[in-house]
Amino acid sequence: MGRRSSEQWARPQDRPVNVAVDVLVPTCNRPAELAVTLAGLAGQTEPAFAVVISDQSAGQPAWDHPAAAAMVRVLEAQGRPVTLLRHLPRRGLAEHRQFLLDQATADQCLFLDDDVWLEPGALERLSTALDELQCGFVGMAPQGLSFLADRRPEQTAAFQAWEGPVTPERIRPGAPGFERWPLHSAANLSHLSAELSLQPGEWVPYHVAWLGGCVLYRREALNDAGGFLFWTSLPADHAGEDVVAQWQVMERYGGAGILPSGAVHLESPTTVTDRRVEAYDVVLKEDAV
């Protein structure tokens, strides 16, 4: 079932029995950004989805901010179930993602960061791609639109579209696939999409090193690969937890980026300021190239 339009908002509604996608949003100290992220979700039509927001803010939860609260109400009026959870104390990014994954029940789950706006139709494009490609995950790397005039051909040279089915890959620092990571800098994907002359509704899967900010998983594949249970081996201050999870999924099921990217990075300052510990250096240290 698609979203309820405004003439239906005040009518009684039953809670959907099944949704196709659980949208999982971790947030911390970002009420304004969360409001924009939720506004992007409110602009999606298909497929049916539910939203789970897990807040680790130091003070009031971000959904108490009037703008974020309004967007929660819009989603609920549209028929999108919204679950609001406080998850404290903070035990690190990976533990927070595992907590969110444990809440999911839909076949597909989208990890969406709290500083990413999705254009209308982006969720449907991601879900369609995951269904058609039958890999472990697909994603849209968020674009920094302040960089639209900043073309970086030396970074986009690594672009490689998937020809045929998406197959498992093994990525590690030093391996050839690792060098794809600059693809997702600045507005590189926006430039690539323009150069490929993609038409409305057309999408192209491509090889990635990893994706951040907006990744749609087959929930069964993510759980089979271990999810984020490796959090117990990490200190609370770490980065790159999504890289480890994606590499473990890619080795079993493969993964792909999707062009065009309908995800926009809000370009707010990062809340992850301590990056001395990269998760893959700890979790995969005995599995390096």
Side-chain angles (χ1 to χ4, degrees), residues 199-213:
Q199 300 301 306
E202 185 180 5
W203 55 271
V204 174
Y206 66 95
H207 292 259
V208 297
W210 67 83
L211 283 148

Side-chain angles (χ1 to χ4, degrees), residues 17-37:
V17 176
N18 294 307
V19 296
V21 180
D22 281 319
V23 181
L24 310 176
V25 184
T27 190
C28 182
N29 299 326
R30 277 180 161 171
E33 291 87 346
L34 178 64
V36 175
T37 297

Side-chain angles (χ1 to χ4, degrees), residues 135-137 217-227 249 252-253:
C135 53
F137 68 83
Y217 294 90
R218 285 197 297 116
R219 184 172 59 87
E220 182 180 357
L222 180 55
N223 280 321
D224 181 62
V249 171
R252 292 166 173 80
Y253 301 101

Side-chain angles (χ1 to χ4, degrees), residues 41-54:
L41 289 174
Q44 307 303 309
T45 53
E46 300 290 347
F49 66 88
V51 182
V52 181
I53 305 169
S54 179

Side-chain angles (χ1 to χ4, degrees), residues 141-144 147-161 176-193 195 206-210 259:
Q143 299 297 282
F147 295 92
L148 280 178
D150 181 4
R151 292 185 175 270
R152 303 181 180 186
E154 74 284 358
Q155 294 183 345
T156 58
F159 175 77
Q160 180 185 3
F178 185 82
E179 299 308 316
R180 301 168 188 153
W181 68 264
L183 274 175
H184 296 158
S185 299
N188 288 340
L189 297 187
S190 297
H191 298 142
L192 280 168
S193 297
E195 292 165 7
Y206 66 95
H207 292 259
V208 297
W210 67 83
L259 282 184

Side-chain angles (χ1 to χ4, degrees), residues 122-174:
L123 183 60
E124 184 175 12
R125 192 154 73 240
L126 284 168
S127 183
T128 298
L130 191 59
D131 283 339
E132 292 188 12
L133 297 173
Q134 285 296 297
C135 53
F137 68 83
V138 297
M140 292 179 175
Q143 299 297 282
L145 298 189
S146 68
F147 295 92
L148 280 178
D150 181 4
R151 292 185 175 270
R152 303 181 180 186
E154 74 284 358
Q155 294 183 345
T156 58
F159 175 77
Q160 180 185 3
W162 275 99
E163 302 292 343
V166 175
T167 55
E169 293 184 280
R170 186 178 188 274
I171 307 294
R172 294 292 186 276

Side-chain angles (χ1 to χ4, degrees), residues 26-27 54-56 87 92-101:
T27 190
S54 179
D55 186 279
Q56 293 190 321
H87 185 58
L93 300 171
E95 190 275 342
H96 198 189
R97 290 193 185 274
Q98 183 61 44
F99 172 76
L100 275 164
L101 178 58

